[in-house]
Amino acid sequence: MIGYYVHHQGSGHLNRARTIAAHCPLRVTGLSTLPEPPDWPWPGDWVRLPRDDDGDPAGFGDVTAGGRLHWAPVGHAGLRGRMASIARWIEAASPRLLMSDVSVEVALLARLLGTPVAVAAMRGDRTDPPHRTAYDLADLLLAPWPAALPEPGWPSHWQAKTVHTGAFSRFDGRPRAASAVDPGRTGRSRTPRRVLLLMGAGGSDVSPGEVKAARAATPGWEWTTLGGPDGGWSADPWPALCAADVVVTHAGQNALAECAAARRPAVVVPQDRPFGEQTATARALTCGDLAVVTPVWPAPETWPALLEQAHERGGDRWSRWSPGDGAALAATALAEAAAGGTTPVRRPGAPDQPAAP
């Protein structure tokens, strides 16, 4: 059995956990503040954890324990309860491995209890003491990006235990709708062309006024928004992705993986996130020439040219970012680590070490 800790912020961690668990040959028990999703591949194998971020922040004390942890509010009953729940589950289940996606504190707890640990790696500057502790103690690092576009500055001992899966999505392998055919390649034109704006569930740096101004500046394009305070919500955004002529998105791992699965042209606007995660991801996209990247939300008058540039570029380059087998590769890597393997699995033909950026 494998334990899989799922962070509750945004939707990407849960989507990634479901996708990997569906390919895993070992039973996977989810551990999370979130409720068990109805489509969890291992029904009933889920431990619901108390929240550790509610209450009066004035009483949280030094949540970083002097900079050695990321989140450990002092005297918080929810934190105490969730850590006790995880410890009781580890004692009862004796898992072969615990996957942390992501919590330094949960990774550290599992390892202190003698359980091997895998950690979902994240882009950005992860050289702070808590991240270094988690990455150093992990038996396996899963990096959901291609080895050809590495995160610069990683020490060799991290690289040696990393499996670069490439991005992966719950939609990998799903047939694209007929509306996804690029009308420019068939000699037909579609007016207005369609923009899908993905705002995400983890917060947004873009105001409704900025979106309204971009719409007004692009009369030949029809905009649809999913996510954010003013956007619609869809349990299945795949048809909207496939129908888009251009996707405008932030640089979150999940949003990019879904855009890549649909092979849609994209304008990527990274948002401010801890440790510069989305900025680092955008840098890799630029290096790989995978999408049109702009560091901040563009001025209204620049949108027509950006959308045309993305549309002309097309979406075929996304195959470099998301080969389509990343979830299966991740599941295999977890199963082999759980079995005591010491050499990470690698995609056939992948380099033993990432190339320099």
Side-chain angles (χ1 to χ4, degrees):
M1 178 184 289
I2 293 173
Y4 198 123
Y5 174 80
V6 183
H7 198 284
H8 62 272
Q9 184 67 33
S11 59
H13 303 290
L14 179 59
N15 285 338
R16 183 157 54 202
R18 285 186 295 201
T19 306
I20 292 175
H23 287 86
C24 195
L26 300 178
R27 284 176 58 197
V28 180
T29 296
L31 303 104
S32 182
T33 307
L34 299 169
E36 178 180 348
D39 57 350
W40 182 244
W42 302 88
D45 284 336
W46 192 269
V47 178
R48 184 80 182 271
L49 303 175
R51 294 191 69 92
D52 63 353
D53 57 356
D54 55 352
D56 183 5
F60 286 179
D62 177 14
V63 299
T64 70
R68 295 296 165 178
L69 300 173
H70 284 154
W71 189 256
V74 176
H76 195 288
L79 174 67
R80 189 163 54 248
R82 73 192 285 112
M83 291 305 194
S85 295
I86 294 170
R88 285 194 294 268
W89 177 80
I90 289 176
E91 181 182 31
S94 297
R96 299 182 185 180
L97 182 77
L98 187 132
M99 169 69 175
S100 176
D101 186 8
V102 281
S103 167
V104 168
E105 293 74 26
V106 169
L108 183 57
L109 172 67
R111 189 62 189 85
L112 285 171
L113 293 173
T115 301
V117 171
V119 170
M122 308 285 280
R123 285 206 183 262
D125 183 4
R126 307 291 168 170
T127 58
D128 60 290
H131 273 118
R132 284 167 51 190
T133 297
Y135 286 25
D136 285 348
L137 67 81
D139 293 83
L140 170 69
L141 295 174
L142 286 181
W145 58 80
L149 294 170
E151 188 60 18
W154 273 29
S156 59
H157 66 283
W158 290 3
Q159 295 176 359
K161 57 185 175 184
T162 297
V163 172
H164 289 87
T165 64
F168 54 88
S169 161
R170 54 186 164 159
F171 299 133
D172 286 340
R174 181 171 172 177
R176 288 166 59 192
S179 58
V181 175
D182 186 342
R185 296 185 180 184
T186 60
R188 295 181 284 110
S189 61
R190 180 168 63 192
T191 304
R193 287 176 290 178
R194 300 170 183 170
V195 175
L196 177 64
L197 173 60
L198 294 179
M199 298 291 280
S204 175
D205 299 339
V206 182
S207 71
E210 289 174 310
V211 175
K212 183 178 180 180
R215 290 176 186 265
T218 53
W221 297 80
E222 179 182 276
W223 288 62
T224 299
T225 302
L226 291 181
D230 297 312
W233 182 86
S234 173
D236 183 14
W238 183 248
L241 277 165
C242 291
D245 293 288
V246 174
V247 176
V248 176
T249 180
H250 54 89
Q253 289 184 3
N254 189 60
L256 291 177
E258 295 189 347
C259 181
R263 301 294 192 254
R264 305 318 298 149
V267 175
V268 178
V269 187
Q271 297 188 350
D272 186 23
R273 291 292 184 270
F275 310 102
E277 177 189 345
Q278 291 202 13
T279 300
T281 300
R283 181 179 60 236
L285 296 178
T286 299
C287 184
D289 194 27
L290 302 178
V292 174
V293 177
T294 177
V296 296
W297 186 261
E301 64 271 15
T302 64
W303 273 107
L306 288 172
L307 295 178
E308 290 293 346
Q309 182 183 353
H311 190 258
E312 287 296 318
R313 183 188 301 257
D316 291 344
R317 289 180 176 89
W318 281 121
S319 62
R320 307 174 191 173
W321 185 257
S322 177
D325 62 350
L329 185 62
T332 298
L334 290 178
E336 293 199 1
T342 58
T343 302
V345 298
R346 300 186 189 277
R347 178 175 287 103
D352 290 336
Q353 296 293 342

